[in-house]
Amino acid sequence: MAEHAAPTLSTLVQRFFMDHLIEQRAVSPQTIAAYRDTLRLLLNYAATALKRTPSAITLSDLDAPMLLAFLDHLEKERGNSVRSRNARLAAIRTFLKFASHHDLASLATIERALAIPFKRFDRPMVGFLSRAEIGAIIEAPDRASWAGQRDRAFFSMMYNTGARVSEMIGIRCRDVVLEGQPAVHLRGKGRKERSVPLWRPTAALIKSWRRRIGDPTGESILFPNRSGGRMSRSNVTQRLDLAVAAAGLKNPGILERPVKRPVRGWV
């Protein structure tokens, strides 16, 4: 009997996304995008290094020396942090583990690639803001403007729930319960879901904000941008910068605080 030919790299990539990530693991769109960007960067780097087209790259080309050179390229030429480098490596490892089940001829290459370690790095001590400082930032946006009312409700809910920015910008009106015991339903990383109670002041801001936007349908984004779509992370960062600057006029100490530290609850 004739032996089955090993699948091409392009076939493996397609199966990885369509069958493994989407159908079997049902990962979030954000995770799929991160893996897609990583493999695109890797294949473009390998194509340049080997002077081939990306479609001509094979799985055996993605050996340990190639991956180490790629990771070095990310840090030294693209300016990625060690944290970002490790995230790219994690995505590559996930793909290679999948590929090892479908291309037995490349097992030795894959095993050596999987042996590449993650880099250690110093984790900075996480700072915090006092309740008064948080309150000053929440109260800073203009109460009269559309954007100001949205920002006050947004920052209040983010502080109340400890939600990530990615969770906040995806909240729809149907996810918020304002009758009885107010609460919000959040969808986090890995499609994990949880409901978090809302404090009365937060619920009052949300009620006021929903009246401002015309009490939209349940599928509508609760905190939209001007065009009605989702806010981006950069948009949230910009709005937080404005609120911090405004709060700093009365509380100069806030301007010296690490408000934009990428921790849970803030950008």
Side-chain angles (χ1 to χ4, degrees), residues 72-99:
D72 191 59
H73 161 77
L74 291 179
E75 288 190 78
K76 294 182 178 179
E77 297 183 36
R78 292 184 62 87
N80 286 181
S81 65
V82 174
R83 188 189 297 270
S84 296
R85 178 259 194 203
N86 286 346
R88 299 294 190 193
L89 177 57
I92 293 170
R93 286 167 61 94
T94 301
F95 170 69
L96 292 178
K97 288 177 182 178
F98 166 81

Side-chain angles (χ1 to χ4, degrees), residues 135-145 147-153 155 239-240 242-244 246-247:
I137 293 173
I138 292 174
E139 293 295 326
D142 181 12
R143 293 170 179 261
S145 71
Q149 284 196 9
R150 179 201 60 195
D151 294 349
R152 291 182 71 239
F155 296 149
R239 300 306 302 179
L240 180 59
L242 292 173
V244 170

Side-chain angles (χ1 to χ4, degrees), residues 30-212:
Q30 292 85 356
T31 300
I32 291 175
Y35 286 179
R36 177 203 63 207
D37 292 344
T38 295
L39 291 182
R40 182 171 57 195
L41 286 170
L42 173 59
L43 293 177
N44 285 337
Y45 175 82
T48 301
L50 298 173
K51 298 181 179 179
R52 304 180 197 166
T53 62
S55 60
I57 303 300
T58 66
L59 186 58
S60 60
D61 291 324
L62 304 181
D63 55 13
M66 175 65 73
L67 295 183
L68 286 169
F70 170 66
L71 295 171
D72 191 59
H73 161 77
L74 291 179
E75 288 190 78
K76 294 182 178 179
E77 297 183 36
R78 292 184 62 87
N80 286 181
S81 65
V82 174
R83 188 189 297 270
S84 296
R85 178 259 194 203
N86 286 346
R88 299 294 190 193
L89 177 57
I92 293 170
R93 286 167 61 94
T94 301
F95 170 69
L96 292 178
K97 288 177 182 178
F98 166 81
S100 67
H101 295 285
H102 300 274
D103 188 351
L104 299 181
S106 298
L107 274 178
T109 299
I110 293 173
E111 286 180 357
R112 287 191 291 271
L114 290 176
I116 297 174
F118 293 105
K119 263 193 175 182
R120 295 180 179 273
F121 60 95
D122 294 330
R123 297 179 181 273
M125 183 176 293
V126 177
F128 64 92
L129 299 176
S130 68
R131 181 176 297 180
E133 290 170 330
I134 289 288
I137 293 173
I138 292 174
E139 293 295 326
D142 181 12
R143 293 170 179 261
S145 71
W146 183 91
Q149 284 196 9
R150 179 201 60 195
D151 294 349
R152 291 182 71 239
F154 185 98
F155 296 149
S156 179
M157 182 180 284
M158 188 159 58
Y159 174 52
N160 183 159
T161 62
R164 296 180 175 89
V165 173
S166 58
E167 294 174 315
M168 289 292 302
I169 60 180
I171 295 174
R172 298 184 182 275
C173 290
R174 59 175 163 78
D175 296 325
V176 180
V177 177
L178 296 176
E179 304 301 327
Q181 174 58 59
V184 59
H185 189 62
L186 299 171
R187 294 172 180 81
K189 294 180 66 176
R191 297 184 181 274
K192 295 179 181 177
E193 301 183 2
R194 67 188 191 281
S195 292
V196 182
L198 296 177
W199 304 324
R200 288 184 179 179
T202 304
L205 283 174
I206 300 301
K207 284 182 180 180
S208 176
W209 169 240
R210 289 192 60 159
R211 288 195 298 269
R212 179 67 185 259

